Amino acid sequence: MQVASGRFKQRAHDGLENPVLRNALLKSQGKFVVTRQQAFDELGNLGELRAAAAAVRDHTLERLDTYLTRFETEVRKAGGEVLWAQTAEDVQRLLHDICARHGVRLAVKSKSMVTEECEVNQALETAGIEVVETDLGEYILQLANEPPSHIVAPVVHKTKEEVAALFERHHGRPRLHDIPALCREAREVLRPKFLAADLGISGANFIIAETGTALIVTNEGNGRLATTLPRVHVAITGIEKVVPTLEDAALLLRLLTRSATGQPITNYVSLLTGPKRASDPDGPEHFYVILVDNGRSKLLGGELQPILRCIRCGACMNHCPVYQNVGGHAYGWVYPGPMGAVLTPSFVGLENARDLPDASTLCGACAAVCPVNIPLPDMLRQLRVQRMEKRLRPWTERAALKLWSWLAARPHIYGIATALAARLLHCFGGKTGLLHRLPFASGWTDGRDLPAPQGHTFRELYKQERQT
Amino acid sequence: MRVGLFVTCLVDLMRPRIGFAALKLLRAAGADVVVPRAQTCCGQPGYNAGDNAGARNLALKLAREFADCDYVVTPSGSCAGMIRVHYPALFREDAHAGDIGRLAEKTCELTDFLARVARLERVPGDFTGTLAYHDSCSGLRELGVKTQPRALLARMPGVRLIEMAESETCCGFGGTFSVKFGDIATRMADNKCQNIKASGADAVAAGDLGCLLHIEGRLRRLGDTQTRVLHVAEVLAGATEN
């Protein structure tokens, strides 16, 4: 996916001006927030679970090499193969090799953000292989030729009517009007693809070191079809998704589904270990796991390591007031919302996403709901520090900050400057006490008035009071 | 009990009335209040822009100025959060960590101090009307300020508190965010204004002047000249008039 994160400001503006998007976001947000809350109210011990989950993730990240090699050993024992990809290009090359080896012409995919990150569809299509997304949301986006705007609900920005129009155009069938009928039609179109596919591509929500298992949660059943019907199954996932044991996966699963969709458990939880055995009635003949680094290992041991705990539940974006108003496409790459604002600059380079660390009021709503306690506002601040060190902000902004720090460290001059500013702004405010326009601050006054200062600073008034 | 009042740079410049209201409330709570003369800014603007060196400098200045106080109280959740939560993060494994840690521990947001530490029973204000309370982000999520202002307001017979929808959602201020991404901030303020209006309250109160300037600025731009926008200290102290 092309990186457009450098244009966050413009893209956010476009999002704000899009009434269809606004409608769609308003509808979905309430649902996500309420169902999550209900799910955790029923569970009762969210605090303990979060602490335990964060501890498991930290423990694993500290020993990533150990657990990944253990995973590889177990996958081999089960008859599968683990392939290592340092970059997105490595993923594409490995997939090309697999397709060539097994004569793949048609691939079906279940939902995976890592494959978006590695532009898997484009790479396969270039090689003449047909790729069909089978998650309903991803399928819709494939028809619309759009990227996802949410990591769990990729098509959250689209309305039912838009989907009906897309289906009518691409399926060549009469226009449908209700959601169950649309789902049925998608099923009818996709079923032959599942049956004819040579290759099934999936992500993995977790990979389990002690058993060599890829765990996948889905609600539509497409994940199960895509990973068991075709001759070859390739699971592609990030190296940070490994957990030591099945029990650890169970703990994280309790948090993941509740945080993502408010479900105690998803309709399907698939634990996939190796290819089909002699006694198995079905399953793939070949089982591969591609473990993707693509920038992740750079974060190990640094200030941003906690972002690698992320289990991709999407709760941070569901609760982020910025995301909820601008939509996911504004962020300009694969991962939107607060986790995306941290991951994107880390993966594609701060210089290509320099506004993303600012795409937050630091209100803390994201950190308050993160199931693995990632201090997202602190991560964003950390990126702002890096940006300052790399001088990636305009000199005017850096100069203004320096001037403020300089003034604030010199109480006497500060007192004179603020007293002057208070008087001036008070005068400009006139009778209404409101400033409608301000030089150098049109960013504020374009949308809001500024209530004028009272006219004297506290320090002046306090001094007067003490003298009388 | 020697209490240092940290006025905050925004109150000092924009609305000193809030500083005097805080002073009155602290005195009503029986505190011996001092207002260090040389105080300026807690360093939050620099800190949130990634200028840790500038923020550290101002943190040390503030720690020196309030060294002899039992408590440091400030009419702002975000400045209190800066001192309590973020100062220690700036001085981790540092020679000044001890001093900064002590400062952090004794620093309180105003309503938190009045309700929890000083246990102010007789609130001097005389506000009459319905009031919606906006929970400013830092106070709420960094310091747990939620029930404290409501408990204090409940002690005022003329105040009828209304819970508006999404009272915990950010108003869009976010410091320089409100200027850098003016259109996003304005939309967030719109949502807040709608919830205030829908609540039917005569006034909206909060514990941070930044949020208040933002909310009032948008309300007035939208033509609402009626809804009053007040700092909780102004309401509690009876200092709501110009």
Side-chain angles (χ1 to χ4, degrees), chain B residues 48-62:
Chain B
N48 283 344
D51 177 17
N52 283 359
R56 277 173 57 99
N57 196 16
L58 291 177
L60 291 172
K61 172 176 174 295
L62 199 145

Side-chain angles (χ1 to χ4, degrees), chain A residues 281-294:
Chain A
D282 48 27
E285 292 159 27
H286 305 277
F287 176 76
Y288 298 92
V289 181
I290 301 183
L291 294 179
V292 185
D293 181 345
N294 208 27

